[in-house]
Amino acid sequence: MYSGYKTCLLIDDNYIDNFVTRRILESSNFAQNIVVKQSATEAIEEIRDGSIKPDVIFLDLRMPLMNGFEFLQEYEKLDGHDKDGTKIFMLSSSLDPVDVKRSGQNKYITQFIHKPLTQKILEELSA
């Protein structure tokens, strides 16, 4: 399954989650390039300076320094990035209904996905 994405950005502070998610993305040929960042702050800086141009982002919610919602606040301020052409999936282990609701209300979030990401979920996203 190749979804046609050029660059997928995975933002999660958990090394193990990144390793597993990256393997799933790679094995399904989800995108030509998969970039992994363990810091939302670093990710937003690299999007801002143009060194990463993702067309799909998997964003963790609970991270130190800058959480997923804080990332989205900074993302909204970006100039020169095709925000309308970028899909953002909130990928989180949070079971808090407030987090799910808040994600659903954010105009940049395409979908809230409960961890772990699976092959089946990827197939549904690409359908």
Side-chain angles (χ1 to χ4, degrees), residues 83-122:
K83 292 185 275 251
D84 293 333
T86 304
K87 289 187 176 184
I88 301 178
F89 298 100
M90 186 70 79
L91 182 61
S92 179
S93 55
S94 173
L95 299 174
D96 187 341
V98 173
D99 289 338
V100 176
K101 182 179 180 184
R102 190 171 171 198
S103 293
Q105 293 170 337
N106 187 290
K107 68 181 178 180
Y108 297 112
I109 300 292
T110 302
Q111 185 176 338
F112 186 99
I113 301 169
H114 291 281
K115 285 183 184 177
L117 186 65
T118 64
Q119 187 75 34
K120 183 176 189 245
I121 292 170
L122 276 182

Side-chain angles (χ1 to χ4, degrees), residues 17-120:
D17 286 346
N18 282 336
F19 180 81
V20 171
T21 302
R22 182 182 192 127
R23 287 290 216 194
I24 290 168
L25 291 167
E26 287 174 342
S27 69
S28 62
N29 294 315
F30 189 76
Q32 291 175 12
N33 305 306
I34 299 168
V35 178
V36 179
K37 295 293 171 188
Q38 287 187 260
S39 159
T41 306
E42 183 181 350
I44 200 73
E45 286 303 319
E46 291 192 29
I47 294 170
R48 185 176 288 124
D49 72 19
S51 56
I52 300 175
K53 296 179 182 180
D55 45 357
V56 65
I57 299 172
F58 287 94
L59 176 64
D60 187 24
L61 178 55
R62 304 205 185 272
M63 295 179 285
L65 302 177
M66 180 185 286
N67 69 34
F69 291 120
E70 291 166 335
F71 171 89
L72 291 166
Q73 289 172 346
E74 292 303 310
Y75 184 81
E76 185 165 29
K77 298 174 190 174
L78 291 177
D79 289 326
H81 175 70
D82 180 16
K83 292 185 275 251
D84 293 333
T86 304
K87 289 187 176 184
I88 301 178
F89 298 100
M90 186 70 79
L91 182 61
S92 179
S93 55
S94 173
L95 299 174
D96 187 341
V98 173
D99 289 338
V100 176
K101 182 179 180 184
R102 190 171 171 198
S103 293
Q105 293 170 337
N106 187 290
K107 68 181 178 180
Y108 297 112
I109 300 292
T110 302
Q111 185 176 338
F112 186 99
I113 301 169
H114 291 281
K115 285 183 184 177
L117 186 65
T118 64
Q119 187 75 34
K120 183 176 189 245

